[in-house]
Structure formats: structure tokens, C-alpha cells
Amino acid sequence: MLIIKNGTILTFNKDDEVIKNGAIVTEGDNILAIGKSVDLTEKYPEAEVIDAKGGLVIPGLINSHMHFYSTFARGMDLKTDKPPENFIEILEKLWWRVDETLSNKDDLYYSAIYPILEGIEYGTTTIFDHHASFGMIENSLDILAEAVEDAGIRASLCFEASDRNGEEKSEASIQENIRFIESLTEDQKDYLTGKFGLHASFTLEDSSLKRIGEEAARLGVPCHLHVAEGKADVEDSKKRGYSGVVERLDKFNILQPGTLAIHGVHLSQEEFSVLANRNNYLIHNPQSNMGNAVGAADLLAADKSGLRIGLGTDGYTTDMFESLKVASVLPSHETGDPNAGGGIVRDMLFDINGKLAGQYFDKELGVLKEGAGADIVVINYSGPTPVNSDNYYFHLLMGVSGAKVDTTIARGKVLMKNQEVKVLDAERIKAKCREQAEDFWKRF
């Protein structure tokens, strides 16, 4: 049993309740009680104590689109005479070469465990990862699952199926999704889940889309794929005789309920409505979209359609607060309206991501309430002005970064305390990751 006391608790419950001098009691992977510190410390005197020291206490953060496999690309020489000049060249000169070079267990394990540990340092307890390692496909998701279990977080995993590397690897990528999803046990469902991964429609033939749609329906799982990230995806669908990407995906039953449609930069209002009607999610990745110069998703149009919008990082960062800050200013920059998108962006990280995670794990997540999963973050922040239910979001937006996270608890286990990671030997792992990256760079 654990009690986190003396904090300002941001519950993110239906009333947006803020509890001053609050405490949370956990037992295993469940929140047992929440209330005032003075009451709960008296009621549970035997509980192990973590003192929040007046800081903020929030639910564990959720990253709804991540690429573990991108880790070794940080600071890497592309070994090309001419840098990429557009989105397709970024794929061809960087990412598709990276995923072909990932070819052994150490590549996969250390490229996964490093961002997981870094995420723990920044308060992230649940990650929806989208994996590619065409140099090692079979059983690759088991290696990522090993890193997830070693670190103690929750994760949804998938392999991006694609035809770009030929028929044999295409079939292997489809089979890896099927194998992993079918291998998951009941005991894992509160912390590990699988989706059917696809790269993007423009690297998949109709026959592959048809097969994936049938398999996803048979398995009863949603898909996780890039949708209209760049104009090339839209142009490819139109060349094939479709009005756009969404019509093509919908024809082949890819838009299973709960599917994560990533990016959606070049989707129309009508296409957003189709995704909404199919009970899908749009996952926004603002830093990645800006960095790749592909444009910005029309969040106002997506929201107007009733589409649920979550927030990811696309591997650009492991700090969800960074992604939040960029997401908050991008709609204002795009529209010229300083009030554009504020409520939408707040809900991405602190409402929709939690509902998304709660849909796929056997726990209610993204909220601090009795019976919810025990994913809790303590932030070293008191603020220059009072914190209340009307303004807490602006304190998080303006005053908090991942570097201020003091304690991270996932599944009821203390993963970091006093800014020291308590699981695994974090420093040894980080050193090993650097060694593996150097070896990877030689092979790239």
C-alpha cells in the first residue's frame, strides 16, 4: 500500500476537481482512496509514504503515437550528399533506411528501452508505439514487449505492415501483427495490448489492405496507421481512382472501431466525418508535422465533425509537455486567432488520451479516482499564483515541463522517485544504448 500526500491533486474527473493538501492511496494497480492528506494518513497509517511537498499530482501521461525505433536517429549522420528536400525524401533517406538497418535483438531492445526510461523521467506511463524493423521482423514485437515489462509501463504495440520492401517482407509484417495479437494473454491485458499496424496506404496495394482489413476484423482489433500525413498519400489514392485516402481505407475495412488515424494533415471535413462515424481517433503530432514541413491538421474541422482527437509525439520527443505546448500555439498560428483550439488541445492530452487508453487496457486511465489504475505523477511545481479547477491547465501549459517531474508511478509501482529512476539500472542501460547506437551508425 502506498500513499502520496501533501499535494495539489488534479483529478481530471468529470468535475475537474482540484484537491488542495490532497492524498491518494493505492493498493496494487488500483487507486484505493483519494481525499485530504490529514484524513487519509490517519486512516492508512501502515501505507508507505511519498511526500509530494506541495507539488502537483496528476494522472500518468499517455503518448498515443510513438516510434521507439527512431531512437538511434537522434544526431545520426544520414551519409548522403544532399539532405532530404521533401517528405518522401525524408522517408527514403532516413526512416526507411533506419528500419532496414534495425536487424538484431539489441538494436530493438535498446532503441525501445531508452525512450521508455526517458518517458518515465518525463511522467509518461502509457505509450502507443508504431514499430518498423524490416531488418528483423519475426518476433520483433516480443522484444519491445520485453522492454515494456522490464520498465513497468503500459504499452500498445504493432508492426507497420508495408509492401515497400517486397512480397516476402510484406507477408512477414502482416504475420507479425497477427502472431503478436494472438499471443497476448489475459494476465497481460491491463498493461500490454496490440493493434494491427500499417505504414500508410500509399505503400500498400489494395490486395494487402483487403487482407489486413479482414484479419483485423477477425481478430477484433483496431488498426494503427499514418493517414494523409503528406500530400503523396492523397495523390496516390486519387491515382488509384479514389476520392481520397479515407475512401480507400474505408473500402477495405481498415477503419475498424477504435482505429488510430495518425496525422490527418491533408484530410477534408468530410473525411474527418467518416472517421468520426467509424468511431476512430485522430492523433495529432504537431512537432513532427512542422519538422517534416507537411502542414498542420485542421483541428477545428476535425473537432466540428465530432472526431475524437488525441496527442502523440511521433518519436520527435519523449516529453508530452513539449508536444502539448506546441499543439497549443499551432492553431493560433495557423488561423490568426489567439483563441483557436485551446479547449481542443487541452482535451487531447488530459481527456481523449485517457479515454483511448482506458478503452484498450483493463483499467480506467488518465484520471485520479477510486478504482482507476494506479498511474500517478508528482510534479515539482507550486506556481506563482493559486492553482484551482478553472486555471490548472494554464499552470501545466505555462509552468511545467517534463524536467519538473519528480515521481512517476505506473501500475502501482514506483518507477522514479526524487528524479531517480528506480527500475532497472538506468545509467547502465543508457550507456549500453549509446554503444549500440554507435554500432548501428556504422551499419547504417
Side-chain angles (χ1 to χ4, degrees):
M1 186 177 290
L2 180 68
I3 183 168
I4 302 98
K5 67 176 187 177
N6 299 330
T8 297
I9 300 176
L10 311 184
T11 63
F12 296 100
N13 64 18
K14 60 183 177 62
D15 299 319
D16 263 348
E17 186 180 6
V18 173
I19 305 174
K20 301 285 184 66
N21 299 313
I24 301 174
V25 180
T26 68
E27 188 167 40
D29 188 9
N30 291 288
I31 293 178
L32 188 64
I34 184 168
K36 290 290 188 179
S37 291
V38 63
D39 298 326
L40 294 184
T41 51
E42 182 178 346
K43 186 174 181 180
Y44 300 96
E46 74 281 10
E48 177 188 349
V49 175
I50 289 180
D51 191 344
K53 300 176 183 177
L56 301 179
V57 182
I58 69 171
L61 298 174
I62 297 157
N63 185 345
S64 55
H65 181 66
M66 177 64 181
H67 292 296
F68 292 152
Y69 79 88
S70 68
T71 298
F72 293 157
R74 193 184 298 185
M76 184 179 68
D77 181 3
L78 291 185
K79 299 178 183 177
T80 180
D81 294 335
K82 192 176 181 181
E85 294 185 348
N86 55 55
F87 179 58
I88 294 299
E89 288 192 5
I90 290 172
L91 294 176
E92 293 173 343
K93 293 187 176 184
L94 174 55
W95 298 119
W96 292 349
R97 291 170 62 201
V98 165
D99 69 54
E100 279 279 9
T101 309
L102 292 165
S103 55
N104 60 62
K105 180 177 180 178
D106 282 352
D107 282 346
L108 272 60
Y109 183 83
Y110 286 102
S111 63
I113 196 66
Y114 185 95
I116 291 173
L117 291 176
E118 197 170 60
I120 288 169
E121 292 175 334
Y122 297 151
T124 297
T125 56
T126 300
I127 299 173
F128 288 75
D129 190 66
H130 192 266
H131 179 65
S133 57
F134 281 91
M136 181 183 179
I137 301 173
E138 188 176 1
N139 298 322
S140 59
L141 295 181
D142 287 352
I143 299 170
L144 305 193
E146 181 181 344
V148 168
E149 293 183 322
D150 287 349
I153 67 163
R154 304 180 207 266
S156 170
L157 305 177
C158 68
F159 194 104
E160 64 167 47
S162 176
D163 292 332
R164 67 179 181 266
N165 296 297
E167 186 175 337
E168 183 177 339
K169 289 190 175 183
S170 173
E171 175 62 22
S173 67
I174 292 173
Q175 285 297 331
E176 179 60 9
N177 281 291
I178 296 170
R179 183 203 64 77
F180 179 73
I181 292 165
E182 292 182 334
S183 76
L184 293 171
T185 67
E186 286 295 323
D187 292 340
Q188 293 174 307
K189 288 186 177 179
D190 64 338
Y191 69 90
L192 190 63
T193 185
K195 289 185 171 51
F196 213 115
L198 301 78
H199 171 247
S201 66
F202 74 95
T203 68
L204 287 156
E205 298 300 322
D206 285 358
S207 57
S208 294
L209 289 178
K210 182 176 185 295
R211 169 107 183 277
I212 292 167
E214 291 171 349
E215 290 290 352
R218 178 183 69 82
L219 293 165
V221 298
C223 296
H224 185 167
L225 73 159
H226 304 110
V227 177
E229 180 178 4
K231 290 181 180 179
D233 202 7
V234 179
E235 292 166 355
D236 178 79
S237 288
K238 289 183 175 180
K239 286 179 182 177
R240 295 173 188 266
Y242 300 94
S243 62
V245 177
V246 169
E247 183 188 22
R248 184 172 180 231
L249 295 173
D250 199 30
K251 176 181 178 180
F252 295 107
N253 209 21
I254 299 300
L255 305 180
Q256 298 286 322
T259 284
L260 304 187
I262 312 303
H263 301 297
V265 173
H266 299 285
L267 295 182
S268 66
Q269 175 84 59
E270 292 73 23
E271 289 175 307
F272 287 137
S273 294
V274 173
L275 296 179
N277 290 336
R278 299 295 181 270
N279 201 23
N280 292 171
Y281 292 86
L282 175 71
I283 307 302
H284 185 44
N285 301 271
Q287 289 167 295
S288 171
N289 294 159
M290 295 170 73
N292 288 331
V294 294
D298 189 343
L299 300 182
L300 302 182
D303 182 65
K304 185 177 180 180
S305 74
L307 183 58
R308 296 169 295 180
I309 310 170
L311 185 66
T313 66
D314 201 31
Y316 197 95
T317 179
T318 53
D319 185 345
M320 289 304 298
F321 289 109
E322 275 191 16
S323 191
L324 177 71
K325 291 175 193 296
V326 176
S328 72
V329 297
L330 184 55
S332 298
H333 179 272
E334 290 293 302
T335 64
D337 177 2
N339 300 305
I344 299 171
V345 173
R346 181 262 181 217
D347 287 347
M348 285 181 199
L349 183 57
F350 299 117
D351 181 29
I352 302 303
N353 274 14
K355 287 183 170 64
L356 167 63
Q359 185 175 347
Y360 296 113
F361 298 94
D362 286 346
K363 290 290 178 183
E364 189 172 5
L365 301 173
V367 63
L368 298 178
K369 58 184 285 191
E370 291 183 13
D375 293 359
I376 303 166
V377 171
V378 180
I379 301 169
N380 181 20
Y381 176 85
S382 56
T385 59
V387 178
N388 56 51
S389 59
D390 294 324
N391 69 16
Y392 70 81
Y393 171 63
F394 299 99
H395 281 275
L396 293 171
L397 186 63
M398 304 294 185
V400 174
S401 68
K404 288 184 178 289
V405 172
D406 177 85
T407 299
T408 301
I409 299 164
R411 298 163 53 195
K413 299 176 182 177
V414 178
L415 306 186
M416 183 176 76
K417 184 179 179 182
N418 298 326
Q419 295 196 318
E420 181 182 350
V421 175
K422 298 295 185 179
V423 290
L424 305 172
D425 184 342
E427 293 309 310
R428 181 193 66 79
I429 285 173
K430 289 178 180 180
K432 174 60 179 174
C433 182
R434 287 188 286 271
E435 290 178 9
Q436 193 64 28
E438 190 171 13
D439 178 72
F440 178 88
W441 287 0
K442 291 175 183 176
R443 290 179 276 124
F444 177 77

PDB file of all heavy atoms in Angstrom, residues 94-105:
ATOM      1  N   LEU A  94      16.016   8.634 -44.709  1.00  0.00           N
ATOM      2  CA  LEU A  94      16.191   8.443 -43.274  1.00  0.00           C
ATOM      3  C   LEU A  94      15.425   7.219 -42.768  1.00  0.00           C
ATOM      4  O   LEU A  94      16.008   6.175 -42.514  1.00  0.00           O
ATOM      5  CB  LEU A  94      15.754   9.703 -42.513  1.00  0.00           C
ATOM      6  CG  LEU A  94      15.751   9.612 -40.977  1.00  0.00           C
ATOM      7  CD1 LEU A  94      17.105   9.187 -40.437  1.00  0.00           C
ATOM      8  CD2 LEU A  94      15.294  10.924 -40.361  1.00  0.00           C
ATOM      9  N   TRP A  95      14.095   7.341 -42.666  1.00  0.00           N
ATOM     10  CA  TRP A  95      13.342   6.354 -41.896  1.00  0.00           C
ATOM     11  C   TRP A  95      13.324   4.973 -42.519  1.00  0.00           C
ATOM     12  O   TRP A  95      13.418   3.963 -41.795  1.00  0.00           O
ATOM     13  CB  TRP A  95      11.930   6.857 -41.634  1.00  0.00           C
ATOM     14  CG  TRP A  95      11.958   8.119 -40.829  1.00  0.00           C
ATOM     15  CD1 TRP A  95      11.478   9.342 -41.181  1.00  0.00           C
ATOM     16  CD2 TRP A  95      12.549   8.291 -39.536  1.00  0.00           C
ATOM     17  NE1 TRP A  95      11.731  10.275 -40.196  1.00  0.00           N
ATOM     18  CE2 TRP A  95      12.390   9.649 -39.177  1.00  0.00           C
ATOM     19  CE3 TRP A  95      13.208   7.437 -38.651  1.00  0.00           C
ATOM     20  CZ2 TRP A  95      12.854  10.162 -37.966  1.00  0.00           C
ATOM     21  CZ3 TRP A  95      13.675   7.937 -37.449  1.00  0.00           C
ATOM     22  CH2 TRP A  95      13.497   9.284 -37.113  1.00  0.00           C
ATOM     23  N   TRP A  96      13.208   4.862 -43.826  1.00  0.00           N
ATOM     24  CA  TRP A  96      13.173   3.529 -44.417  1.00  0.00           C
ATOM     25  C   TRP A  96      14.549   2.873 -44.399  1.00  0.00           C
ATOM     26  O   TRP A  96      14.643   1.640 -44.405  1.00  0.00           O
ATOM     27  CB  TRP A  96      12.604   3.591 -45.836  1.00  0.00           C
ATOM     28  CG  TRP A  96      11.138   3.965 -45.832  1.00  0.00           C
ATOM     29  CD1 TRP A  96      10.317   4.017 -44.738  1.00  0.00           C
ATOM     30  CD2 TRP A  96      10.338   4.309 -46.957  1.00  0.00           C
ATOM     31  NE1 TRP A  96       9.054   4.389 -45.119  1.00  0.00           N
ATOM     32  CE2 TRP A  96       9.027   4.577 -46.481  1.00  0.00           C
ATOM     33  CE3 TRP A  96      10.580   4.446 -48.321  1.00  0.00           C
ATOM     34  CZ2 TRP A  96       7.972   4.959 -47.314  1.00  0.00           C
ATOM     35  CZ3 TRP A  96       9.529   4.821 -49.153  1.00  0.00           C
ATOM     36  CH2 TRP A  96       8.242   5.075 -48.658  1.00  0.00           C
ATOM     37  N   ARG A  97      15.591   3.664 -44.351  1.00  0.00           N
ATOM     38  CA  ARG A  97      16.935   3.104 -44.177  1.00  0.00           C
ATOM     39  C   ARG A  97      17.152   2.686 -42.722  1.00  0.00           C
ATOM     40  O   ARG A  97      17.799   1.677 -42.443  1.00  0.00           O
ATOM     41  CB  ARG A  97      17.997   4.108 -44.609  1.00  0.00           C
ATOM     42  CG  ARG A  97      18.026   4.368 -46.119  1.00  0.00           C
ATOM     43  CD  ARG A  97      18.930   5.543 -46.437  1.00  0.00           C
ATOM     44  NE  ARG A  97      20.311   5.309 -46.038  1.00  0.00           N
ATOM     45  CZ  ARG A  97      21.197   6.283 -45.821  1.00  0.00           C
ATOM     46  NH1 ARG A  97      20.843   7.555 -45.950  1.00  0.00           N
ATOM     47  NH2 ARG A  97      22.427   5.984 -45.473  1.00  0.00           N
ATOM     48  N   VAL A  98      16.616   3.478 -41.785  1.00  0.00           N
ATOM     49  CA  VAL A  98      16.721   3.119 -40.368  1.00  0.00           C
ATOM     50  C   VAL A  98      16.064   1.775 -40.111  1.00  0.00           C
ATOM     51  O   VAL A  98      16.644   0.878 -39.483  1.00  0.00           O
ATOM     52  CB  VAL A  98      16.092   4.211 -39.470  1.00  0.00           C
ATOM     53  CG1 VAL A  98      15.863   3.682 -38.049  1.00  0.00           C
ATOM     54  CG2 VAL A  98      16.977   5.448 -39.413  1.00  0.00           C
ATOM     55  N   ASP A  99      14.817   1.612 -40.589  1.00  0.00           N
ATOM     56  CA  ASP A  99      14.110   0.379 -40.231  1.00  0.00           C
ATOM     57  C   ASP A  99      14.688  -0.838 -40.949  1.00  0.00           C
ATOM     58  O   ASP A  99      14.516  -1.969 -40.478  1.00  0.00           O
ATOM     59  CB  ASP A  99      12.599   0.517 -40.421  1.00  0.00           C
ATOM     60  CG  ASP A  99      12.131   0.624 -41.860  1.00  0.00           C
ATOM     61  OD1 ASP A  99      12.483  -0.252 -42.663  1.00  0.00           O
ATOM     62  OD2 ASP A  99      11.388   1.571 -42.176  1.00  0.00           O
ATOM     63  N   GLU A 100      15.379  -0.646 -42.058  1.00  0.00           N
ATOM     64  CA  GLU A 100      16.073  -1.764 -42.710  1.00  0.00           C
ATOM     65  C   GLU A 100      17.349  -2.135 -41.956  1.00  0.00           C
ATOM     66  O   GLU A 100      17.778  -3.291 -41.963  1.00  0.00           O
ATOM     67  CB  GLU A 100      16.423  -1.403 -44.159  1.00  0.00           C
ATOM     68  CG  GLU A 100      15.258  -1.559 -45.133  1.00  0.00           C
ATOM     69  CD  GLU A 100      15.057  -2.991 -45.576  1.00  0.00           C
ATOM     70  OE1 GLU A 100      15.695  -3.900 -45.024  1.00  0.00           O
ATOM     71  OE2 GLU A 100      14.233  -3.219 -46.482  1.00  0.00           O
ATOM     72  N   THR A 101      17.961  -1.159 -41.274  1.00  0.00           N
ATOM     73  CA  THR A 101      19.215  -1.395 -40.563  1.00  0.00           C
ATOM     74  C   THR A 101      18.976  -2.044 -39.200  1.00  0.00           C
ATOM     75  O   THR A 101      19.846  -2.744 -38.675  1.00  0.00           O
ATOM     76  CB  THR A 101      19.998  -0.082 -40.402  1.00  0.00           C
ATOM     77  OG1 THR A 101      20.108   0.559 -41.676  1.00  0.00           O
ATOM     78  CG2 THR A 101      21.404  -0.325 -39.867  1.00  0.00           C
ATOM     79  N   LEU A 102      17.826  -1.822 -38.609  1.00  0.00           N
ATOM     80  CA  LEU A 102      17.489  -2.475 -37.346  1.00  0.00           C
ATOM     81  C   LEU A 102      17.374  -3.971 -37.598  1.00  0.00           C
ATOM     82  O   LEU A 102      16.445  -4.433 -38.256  1.00  0.00           O
ATOM     83  CB  LEU A 102      16.168  -1.925 -36.806  1.00  0.00           C
ATOM     84  CG  LEU A 102      16.183  -0.465 -36.328  1.00  0.00           C
ATOM     85  CD1 LEU A 102      14.770   0.068 -36.180  1.00  0.00           C
ATOM     86  CD2 LEU A 102      16.945  -0.337 -35.012  1.00  0.00           C
ATOM     87  N   SER A 103      18.327  -4.751 -37.068  1.00  0.00           N
ATOM     88  CA  SER A 103      18.417  -6.134 -37.540  1.00  0.00           C
ATOM     89  C   SER A 103      18.774  -7.154 -36.469  1.00  0.00           C
ATOM     90  O   SER A 103      18.990  -8.325 -36.785  1.00  0.00           O
ATOM     91  CB  SER A 103      19.453  -6.221 -38.673  1.00  0.00           C
ATOM     92  OG  SER A 103      20.701  -5.698 -38.243  1.00  0.00           O
ATOM     93  N   ASN A 104      18.847  -6.746 -35.199  1.00  0.00           N
ATOM     94  CA  ASN A 104      19.126  -7.724 -34.155  1.00  0.00           C
ATOM     95  C   ASN A 104      18.426  -7.328 -32.854  1.00  0.00           C
ATOM     96  O   ASN A 104      17.896  -6.226 -32.732  1.00  0.00           O
ATOM     97  CB  ASN A 104      20.639  -7.897 -33.931  1.00  0.00           C
ATOM     98  CG  ASN A 104      21.316  -6.597 -33.511  1.00  0.00           C
ATOM     99  OD1 ASN A 104      21.001  -6.036 -32.465  1.00  0.00           O
ATOM    100  ND2 ASN A 104      22.257  -6.109 -34.320  1.00  0.00           N
ATOM    101  N   LYS A 105      18.424  -8.232 -31.893  1.00  0.00           N
ATOM    102  CA  LYS A 105      17.678  -8.009 -30.661  1.00  0.00           C
ATOM    103  C   LYS A 105      18.161  -6.775 -29.917  1.00  0.00           C
ATOM    104  O   LYS A 105      17.347  -6.005 -29.379  1.00  0.00           O
ATOM    105  CB  LYS A 105      17.766  -9.236 -29.750  1.00  0.00           C
ATOM    106  CG  LYS A 105      16.986  -9.039 -28.456  1.00  0.00           C
ATOM    107  CD  LYS A 105      16.986 -10.264 -27.571  1.00  0.00           C
ATOM    108  CE  LYS A 105      16.194  -9.987 -26.292  1.00  0.00           C
ATOM    109  NZ  LYS A 105      16.119 -11.169 -25.396  1.00  0.00           N
TER     110      LYS A 105
END
